[in-house]
């Protein structure tokens, strides 16, 4: 089954050319099927790149996905055309009365700021609380996951002495987790961050580390109490994303190391090799499958029952 996207969204043609099954809104309405409704709260500055990356991953499953692009209500994007935002995005205030099977909260390049100093923090706190009544499963990515861990558990975001930048190997710490079906004992994932959460604080808060590394700390954690998983690294990255970040910093004169374990022989003159694509599709496909297995068919029931993902339903 395909992912439903507006036909004139840039991701529609990009993904179609890659062989990802995409369907226009008009075609989707002719199918008598309950599509999974997934929201993407896009906090990244390059909106089109980010929405395409996530649509590629969640659109690769056998299920029909209805993707809704969401933005903060008052925050204005400086890097994406207003016409694109107006055409394809809805503000949180416009969708807050609706229910979603899943919500992805992306990262944001503001990790140096204390959470409370972020201009849209109050609305983001409202959104995170809203996920507990209007979203079946939430996926926090990088800063988005750190924000949720802070909001619900007061797990700190710690500044690193040096940026974790490159491709790092992480260990599969819970092979029985439904989110890690098909995963190898370890895998490689792109990392690009100046902050971290720490294992002892994550576990003290009652969350479980699913993927982790001694070098870069927790990678993927599960917060069962809030029907959420959080990843602090970037399976969604394109093959050249780290290269673009590196070249941008070099051009700006920003001190930056060559991303580790990314270029063959760490030589930036050679094309990087993607070692994470298969595990990226596995993780997001497993998340979508877990939603499909546990979300109520009647979407109005989302938030009216306590559903432990992978476990029995309990009425509130």
């Amino acid at each position: 089954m395909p992912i439903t996207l507006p036909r004139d969204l840039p991701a529609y043609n990009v993904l179609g050319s890659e062989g990802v099954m995409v369907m226009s809104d008009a075609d989707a309405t002719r199918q008598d099927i309950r599509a999974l409704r997934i929201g993407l709260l896009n906090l990244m500055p390059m909106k089109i790149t980010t929405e395409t990356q996530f649509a590629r991953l969640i659109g690769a499953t056998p299920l029909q996905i209805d993707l809704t692009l969401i933005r903060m209500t008052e925050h204005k994007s400086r890097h994406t055309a207003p016409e694109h935002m107006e055409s394809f995005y809805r503000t949180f205030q416009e969708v807050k009365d609706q229910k979603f099977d899943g919500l992805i909260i992306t990262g944001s390049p503001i990790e140096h700021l204390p959470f409370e100093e972020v201009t849209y923090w109050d609305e983001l706190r409202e959104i995170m609380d809203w996920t507990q009544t209007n979203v079946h499963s939430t996926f926090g990515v990088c800063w988005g996951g750190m924000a949720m861990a802070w909001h619900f558990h007061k797990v700190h975001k710690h500044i690193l002495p040096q940026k974790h930048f490159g491709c790092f190997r992480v260990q599969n710490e819970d092979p029985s987790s439904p989110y890690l079906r098909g995963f190898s004992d370890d895998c490689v994932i792109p990392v690009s961050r100046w902050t971290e959460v720490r294992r002892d604080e994550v576990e003290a808060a009652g969350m479980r580390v699913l993927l982790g590394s001694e070098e870069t700390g927790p990678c993927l954690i599960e917060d069962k109490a809030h029907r959420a998983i959080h990843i602090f690294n970037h399976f969604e990255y394109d093959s050249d994303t780290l290269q673009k970040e590196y070249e941008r910093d070099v051009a700006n004169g920003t001190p930056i190391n060559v991303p580790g374990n990314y270029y063959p022989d760490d030589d930036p003159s050679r094309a990087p090799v993607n070692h994470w694509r298969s595990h990226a599709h596995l993780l997001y496909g497993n998340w979508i499958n877990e939603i499909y297995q546990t979300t109520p068919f009647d979407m109005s029931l989302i938030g009216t029952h306590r559903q432990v993902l992978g476990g029995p339903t309990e009425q509130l």
Side-chain angles (χ1 to χ4, degrees):
M1 288 293 180
I3 183 172
T4 302
L5 299 173
R7 188 176 291 277
D8 48 355
L9 185 74
Y12 187 96
N13 289 329
V14 173
L15 300 185
S17 68
E18 296 176 0
V20 177
M21 294 182 65
V22 291
M23 177 181 286
S24 68
D25 296 327
D27 290 337
T29 58
R30 291 197 290 269
Q31 290 195 341
D32 185 17
I33 190 171
R34 155 80 157 86
L36 290 182
R37 191 159 191 233
I38 306 295
L40 176 65
L41 179 63
N42 192 350
L43 305 177
M44 291 295 287
M46 309 305 289
K47 306 293 185 190
I48 295 175
T49 297
T50 301
E51 68 204 26
T52 302
Q53 289 172 342
F54 283 104
R56 175 183 295 116
L57 294 174
I58 67 174
T61 76
L63 304 172
Q64 182 174 319
I65 306 296
D66 180 6
L67 181 65
T68 299
L69 300 176
I70 305 171
R71 65 174 179 87
M72 307 304 292
T73 303
E74 298 300 330
H75 184 73
K76 304 298 182 184
S77 175
R78 294 180 297 171
H79 300 276
T80 305
E83 297 79 12
H84 182 87
M85 302 302 295
E86 183 67 25
S87 296
F88 301 116
Y89 280 77
R90 304 183 68 184
T91 68
F92 169 65
Q93 298 303 322
E94 290 174 321
V95 303
K96 64 185 296 184
D97 293 331
Q98 301 175 21
K99 301 286 182 92
F100 290 83
D101 298 295
L103 177 72
I104 297 170
I105 301 178
T106 74
S108 182
I110 51 175
E111 55 183 328
H112 61 288
L113 289 175
F115 291 117
E116 291 77 10
E117 293 184 15
V118 175
T119 56
Y120 50 75
W121 179 247
D122 287 343
E123 185 175 37
L124 186 57
R125 288 176 59 224
E126 181 184 359
I127 292 171
M128 291 185 288
D129 288 337
W130 169 83
T131 65
Q132 301 307 288
T133 57
N134 287 62
V135 177
H136 181 63
S137 177
T138 306
F139 200 152
V141 178
C142 202
W143 184 87
M146 293 181 184
M148 289 194 70
W150 172 250
H151 178 66
F152 287 118
H153 299 284
K154 290 298 179 279
V155 169
H156 289 272
K157 166 173 61 75
H158 298 276
I159 302 293
L160 294 166
Q162 184 173 341
K163 184 178 184 180
H164 286 324
F165 187 51
C167 293
F168 293 84
R169 191 164 294 279
V170 296
Q171 283 69 52
N172 181 347
E173 300 192 18
D174 190 356
S176 65
S177 168
Y179 300 110
L180 300 181
R181 290 189 187 99
F183 263 64
S184 305
D185 293 338
D186 61 15
C187 60
V188 171
I189 183 169
V191 183
S192 179
R193 51 180 165 83
W194 280 100
T195 55
E196 68 175 358
V197 296
R198 294 177 179 166
R199 177 184 294 270
D200 58 343
E201 296 178 7
V202 166
E203 293 176 342
M207 295 182 286
R208 179 167 178 76
V209 177
L210 303 182
L211 295 174
S213 161
E214 291 187 6
E215 187 174 5
T216 57
C219 168
L220 177 70
I221 66 175
E222 181 179 12
D223 181 1
K224 283 190 175 182
H226 296 91
R227 302 187 311 280
I229 56 174
H230 308 308
I231 191 165
F232 306 115
N233 305 332
H234 293 282
F235 271 136
E236 81 280 2
Y237 272 8
D238 295 322
S239 299
D240 63 353
T241 300
L242 290 178
Q243 179 173 2
K244 289 178 178 178
E245 291 185 16
Y246 173 67
E247 292 174 345
R248 176 201 64 199
D249 287 348
V250 169
N252 292 338
T254 303
I256 187 68
N257 293 327
V258 174
N261 309 307
Y262 178 56
Y263 298 107
D265 299 323
D266 290 330
D267 180 357
S269 68
R270 301 175 64 182
V273 178
N274 189 312
H275 293 289
W276 61 89
R277 184 181 297 114
S278 59
H279 282 96
H281 282 281
L282 267 178
L283 177 60
Y284 282 85
N286 287 341
W287 179 61
I288 292 293
N289 181 63
E290 193 66 9
I291 292 174
Y292 175 75
Q293 296 290 338
T294 59
T295 194
F297 181 83
D298 182 351
M299 293 192 68
S300 68
L301 296 178
I302 292 175
T304 66
H305 69 303
R306 182 180 293 109
Q307 174 70 62
V308 179
L309 298 188
T313 300
E314 299 176 1
Q315 294 299 127
L316 291 178

